[in-house]
Amino acid sequence: MKIGIDKIGFYAPHLYLDMTRLAENRNIDPDKFTIGIGQEKMAVPPMTQDAVTLAANAAVDMLNDVDKEAIDFVIFGTETGVDSSKSAAVYVHELLGLNPYARAIEVKQACYGATAGIQMAKAHIAMNPGSKVLVLGSDIARYGLSTPGEATQGAGAVALLISAEPHILAVEDESVYFTADIMDFWRPVYSDKAFADGKLSNEQYIAFFSRVWEQYKTKADLELNDFAAVCYHLPYTKMGYKALKTVLDEGNEEVQERLLTNYKLSTVYNRNVGNIYTGSLYLSLLSLLEQTNELTAGDRIGMFSYGSGAVGEFFTGILQPDYQDYLSIERHNALFASRSEVTVSEYEAMFDDALPTDGSAVELEIDSDPARVCLAGIADNKRQYVNKEKNTTL
Ligand code: CAA
């Protein structure tokens, strides 16, 4: 039985900051951000969006009634969740109106959470072939104003419907994963901003990729020539390129050209959204699939997942017949086209604006946020979520 990705949904907030404007404001050569780091626009979340709403918005248009009935497991990967106890998956389960006979959990290991979710989903479906699993990767990446990490911030979510006989990508069984305790990037519970040892994080990302790739080739008896494309976790789009470069000479000229072309296509969405942590690898896959007409059924795509701290995994998927029919290119084009630019000072004000942390209540203005699902405020220490279409408040 094939198991894998049946549908992919994506959401980013309706506001963005142009990286050239940010560079000019910070007295940095814009080429550093657009070429050296490889980012053009950074999604900026309004107060009315958090990890829960971003994920719900990524899934809300993707699921039909049959899916909602069949989903019996919601796995929410995030490193910027909103509650230390209640899982973000439970909120999304309600906001989307899913079958109550379901499990709903949150998974954390930095940017690796959604990959763990996919592998758990695969095992669940192997035992329960009729069920479907909703895997979410949703985050707001924050490093701080005028920090080295600032150019690699972002916000957004990817929703993956995992099922038997999937229409987009069948996930293959061979995979290699690796864990080592390192401090390359972390966020203590008292901080709403991440800490990063930038140089170490870049080195470890590549070291983890080398380890899992070398082991994978032996375990699966495959080589670079067997791949139509390799997608990477993209904290910024230059990062995956640095990792790809380390293995490119394993392929012949034609393979190198193919992998480089497809790498570029796999970065288009990420370049315009920024780092979305858990969803980044899957946004890259989505970008590749929605930007090319060259990939065909049977093509193998490699996936490198990296979650700082750190866990890395290399796994693969096979494209399914007519996979293009199951993508939502128009919806995603419309989402990008409808975004509005904010100035650097507007972005800075939004960055510094924070929800109360002293237990006081707040009501947020949700009419200016075009998203279907919004955070409407906090009352009695409870987040108040609204699905404007369902007209429900949680
Ligand atoms: N024109 C063109 N390129 C230029 C340039 C210019 N004028 N000026 C600089 N550059 C290039 C540099 O040569 C460099 O390229 P290479 O990496 O290819 O050498 C690139 O721009 C970046 O320059 P610096 O290394 O000087 O940049 P920095 O030290 O200020 O910050 C960073 C870069 C370390 C990635 C920083 O943004 C950061 O700390 N980000 C957060 C951590 C991160 O994303 N780590 C990635 C791996 S960890 C991970 O993947 C998990 C995760 O999601 C966080």
Side-chain angles (χ1 to χ4, degrees):
M1 177 175 59
K2 291 180 195 168
I3 303 172
I5 301 173
D6 193 51
K7 292 183 181 178
I8 311 180
F10 159 63
Y11 185 77
H14 69 291
L15 302 173
Y16 72 87
L17 177 66
D18 187 301
M19 299 304 288
T20 298
R21 301 282 96 75
L22 179 64
E24 286 164 355
N25 186 280
R26 303 289 188 248
N27 289 320
I28 290 173
D29 178 354
D31 285 354
K32 174 173 175 182
F33 288 176
T34 56
I35 300 168
I37 288 194
Q39 293 302 129
E40 267 165 39
K41 290 175 182 164
M42 177 206 292
V44 177
M47 189 71 89
T48 43
Q49 293 295 312
D50 64 15
V52 168
T53 60
L54 292 169
N57 286 312
V60 73
D61 288 320
M62 179 183 87
L63 303 175
N64 58 31
D65 289 344
V66 175
D67 298 329
K68 288 183 189 178
E69 199 48 42
I71 291 170
D72 64 358
F73 199 178
V74 183
I75 306 175
F76 196 124
T78 186
E79 53 184 300
T80 55
V82 300
D83 195 294
S84 295
S85 179
K86 178 170 174 165
S87 85
V90 171
Y91 289 115
V92 172
H93 174 275
E94 172 62 22
L95 286 161
L96 299 177
L98 303 182
N99 167 21
Y101 290 94
R103 292 181 177 131
I105 61 164
E106 194 170 300
V107 176
K108 181 178 70 186
Q109 176 27 56
C111 306
Y112 174 73
T115 302
I118 289 175
Q119 298 295 5
M120 273 191 260
K122 196 163 173 266
H124 177 77
I125 289 165
M127 300 289 286
N128 306 275
S131 79
K132 298 186 184 189
V133 181
L134 180 62
V135 175
L136 302 157
S138 179
D139 278 298
I140 296 175
R142 286 166 59 88
Y143 294 91
L145 302 177
S146 300
T147 60
E150 183 178 36
T152 65
Q153 296 178 147
V158 173
L160 303 156
L161 185 64
I162 309 295
S163 74
E165 306 308 330
H167 286 108
I168 296 178
L169 192 79
V171 175
E172 294 187 288
D173 287 342
E174 294 291 8
S175 106
V176 172
Y177 26 89
F178 183 81
T179 294
D181 183 3
I182 53 165
M183 290 304 276
D184 62 330
F185 165 104
W186 66 104
R187 186 169 67 85
V189 286
Y190 53 78
S191 176
D192 68 350
K193 298 176 201 78
F195 293 83
D197 181 337
K199 195 167 177 301
L200 178 70
S201 70
N202 287 353
E203 283 167 8
Q204 290 299 320
Y205 177 110
I206 290 175
F208 272 63
F209 173 63
S210 298
R211 276 197 178 262
V212 291
W213 170 244
E214 288 303 321
Q215 181 85 1
Y216 176 84
K217 284 187 293 184
T218 310
K219 194 174 171 188
D221 198 20
L222 291 171
E223 56 181 49
L224 199 66
N225 294 344
D226 296 310
F227 288 83
V230 181
C231 290
Y232 289 85
H233 165 59
L234 293 179
Y236 54 96
T237 68
K238 180 84 165 289
M239 187 71 246
Y241 175 66
K242 288 180 192 222
L244 177 61
K245 261 194 333 194
T246 64
V247 296
L248 259 190
D249 63 5
E250 294 176 21
N252 60 35
E253 211 174 303
E254 185 195 325
V255 171
Q256 294 192 14
E257 201 184 308
R258 180 173 79 215
L259 294 179
L260 282 171
T261 302
N262 285 335
Y263 178 74
K264 209 164 172 208
L265 297 171
S266 78
T267 62
V268 174
Y269 287 179
N270 306 67
R271 176 179 278 277
N272 286 289
V273 173
N275 194 356
I276 60 167
Y277 292 161
T278 45
S280 289
L281 170 61
Y282 302 98
L283 182 58
S284 166
L285 172 67
L286 185 66
S287 178
L288 172 67
L289 299 182
E290 295 192 346
Q291 298 291 316
T292 182
N293 288 317
E294 301 295 317
L295 293 174
T296 53
D299 279 349
R300 175 175 287 110
I301 299 179
M303 306 281 286
F304 174 58
S305 182
Y306 179 74
S308 287
V311 178
E313 177 160 347
F314 188 84
F315 69 103
T316 60
I318 301 291
L319 273 182
Q320 297 304 291
D322 305 321
Y323 70 90
Q324 291 99 333
D325 297 346
Y326 297 88
L327 298 171
S328 307
I329 300 177
E330 280 172 22
R331 186 161 73 230
H332 298 139
N333 283 344
L335 189 147
F336 279 111
S338 65
R339 294 193 302 169
S340 311
E341 184 175 348
V342 293
T343 63
V344 175
S345 48
E346 285 167 338
Y347 145 73
E348 289 177 338
M350 288 169 73
F351 189 92
D352 282 337
D353 202 10
L355 290 167
T357 52
D358 61 356
S360 54
V362 65
E363 234 177 86
L364 301 175
E365 196 276 296
I366 58 169
D367 291 342
S368 54
D369 184 341
R372 183 93 60 85
V373 180
C374 291
L375 174 67
I378 300 182
D380 296 332
N381 294 299
K382 298 169 195 159
R383 288 193 179 224
Q384 310 292 306
Y385 290 109
V386 174
N387 178 339
K388 292 174 184 167
E389 193 149 282
K390 269 177 83 192
N391 208 15
T392 54
T393 304
L394 283 186

